[in-house]
Amino acid sequence: QVQLAESGGGSVQTGGSLRLSCEASRNHDNDHCLGWFRQRPGKEREGVASIFTRGGVTYYLDSLKGRFTISQDSAGNTVYLNGDRLTSDDTAMYYCAAFEAEYWYNCRTLRKDDYNYWGQGTLVSVSS
């Protein structure tokens, strides 16, 4: 069982940055893939980035790579999402998600159906 709680959303000016946090309550006897997803108004939920808790290997949606960075604390209890040069197109509900994974390459997925634990989301609104 994994419980996830996002924080850090709010209003951001165009061109600004965001830093979201996700507190993950999980069994540390197992490794997990932790991911960030977002759902923009009128769009499907899409994966942004993922990270494997053992070793911190990351994986990104190609179109967002370079502007968004996923990271975790040393204990694998908190995962972060940093985003830069935000535009109105980044306005979305951002979700943290997780699934139990045995190997780092299991985490090379941003398919929402692969993730079976979800947080409630945090809203980011970008405007000028």
Side-chain angles (χ1 to χ4, degrees):
Q1 187 76 10
V2 180
Q3 293 181 317
L4 303 166
E6 305 93 336
S7 62
S11 296
V12 181
Q13 285 201 317
T14 300
S17 301
L18 64 79
R19 180 174 171 86
L20 305 178
S21 300
C22 172
E23 298 287 336
S25 176
R26 63 185 186 90
N27 181 354
H28 285 260
D29 289 337
N30 302 318
D31 297 306
H32 293 83
C33 182
L34 300 176
W36 281 101
F37 288 73
R38 69 181 187 179
Q39 189 159 14
R40 294 178 286 173
K43 301 280 182 71
E44 292 287 319
R45 192 172 298 190
E46 65 179 350
V48 177
S50 66
I51 188 165
F52 186 51
T53 54
R54 178 163 46 94
V57 176
T58 57
Y59 183 66
Y60 292 90
L61 183 68
D62 280 346
S63 61
L64 298 179
K65 195 172 185 177
R67 278 201 311 122
F68 285 81
T69 303
I70 190 170
S71 60
Q72 63 180 357
D73 67 353
S74 58
N77 291 328
T78 305
V79 62
Y80 305 98
L81 183 70
N82 288 285
D84 297 317
R85 304 188 304 279
L86 299 179
T87 72
S88 57
D89 202 42
D90 295 311
T91 293
M93 185 72 82
Y94 285 77
Y95 296 91
C96 183
F99 65 93
E100 190 175 315
E102 189 171 0
Y103 302 108
W104 64 270
Y105 50 81
N106 297 140
C107 203
R108 291 180 63 83
T109 174
L110 293 174
R111 292 179 64 246
K112 58 183 185 294
D113 290 345
D114 290 337
Y115 292 74
N116 50 5
Y117 300 103
W118 291 85
Q120 293 299 307
T122 186
L123 181 63
V124 174
S125 179
V126 184
S127 60
S128 55

